[in-house]
Amino acid sequence: MNSAPTPDAGTERYDFERPSKTSLKKAMHELQALGEALLLLPDSRIDAIGLPESLRDAVRTAQRTKTHEGRRRQMQYLGKLMGKADKAAVVEPVREAVAAFQLGHAKDALALHHAERWRAELIADDDALTRWTAEHPGGDVQQLRSLIRSARKEGQAHEAALPGEALRHGRAYRELFKLLRTALTENETDR
């Protein structure tokens, strides 16, 4: 008896019961990429996912592996274990944990850029202080004015002393950033 697929009556369509080799390889590569992202998570988050012991051991081994070839093979093994694991119980929680971790990093980077933008505006423009106090009431305006004034003086002094060289920022510039970042994070947590 011939087990090759046969076309339906009057059509040229074949019905295959299993996925193609290409789709299987693609799924395996996606699981390996997810495994690589899993390696970047802190140990506390990995433990919180509740991975099976064999998968958790494979992750720990991959984190310790230093050679390129050894790491590549361990990642293949990790992908294989994830492929055999229950999708709902193992793979989806891993996807969610990785996505939450990456989102957290993106939010942190965005907050830093936001503080840097405010610092640049406050140093460049006197009206920026008015906008800042309108958006973030309750801060120490006197301290903020003092840091802005000091950061401007430091920048001017450095430009006068070393024309044409890269600008090195002083203590007030850094302190201004810390103050702004703290105020912005407090504002986010109040929301």
Side-chain angles (χ1 to χ4, degrees), residues 2-3 15 23-25 28 39 41 53 59 81 88 101 113 120 125 132 137 143 151 164 169 175 183:
N2 190 358
S3 64
D15 289 327
S23 63
L24 288 174
K25 285 177 88 173
M28 188 56 70
L39 295 180
L41 295 180
E53 189 174 337
V59 169
L81 286 176
F101 184 70
H113 291 304
D125 185 19
W132 171 265
Q143 181 186 14
H169 299 290
E175 291 295 321

Side-chain angles (χ1 to χ4, degrees), residues 2-47:
N2 190 358
S3 64
T6 57
D8 293 340
T11 66
E12 292 297 319
R13 198 179 106 239
Y14 291 90
D15 289 327
F16 294 99
E17 295 178 12
R18 57 187 172 154
S20 67
K21 258 182 145 176
T22 304
S23 63
L24 288 174
K25 285 177 88 173
K26 181 180 176 187
M28 188 56 70
H29 285 294
E30 287 173 358
L31 289 174
Q32 284 180 20
L34 184 61
E36 288 180 26
L38 179 64
L39 295 180
L40 300 176
L41 295 180
D43 290 340
S44 60
R45 289 203 181 195
I46 292 172
D47 293 338

Side-chain angles (χ1 to χ4, degrees), residues 4 18 25 32 45 70 74 76 87 93 102 106-108 121 137 147 160 166 168 176 184 191:
R18 57 187 172 154
K25 285 177 88 173
Q32 284 180 20
R45 289 203 181 195
Q74 188 64 26
Q76 283 182 334
K87 299 284 185 222
Q102 291 171 341
K107 283 183 178 178
D108 291 343
E121 285 182 32
L147 287 173
R168 285 185 44 102
L176 178 60
L184 289 170
R191 289 183 184 182

Side-chain angles (χ1 to χ4, degrees), residues 48-52 55 82 85-96:
I49 296 172
L51 296 175
L55 194 54
M82 289 179 73
D86 181 23
K87 299 284 185 222
V90 176
V91 177
E92 288 309 313
V94 169
R95 282 187 208 278
E96 291 171 8

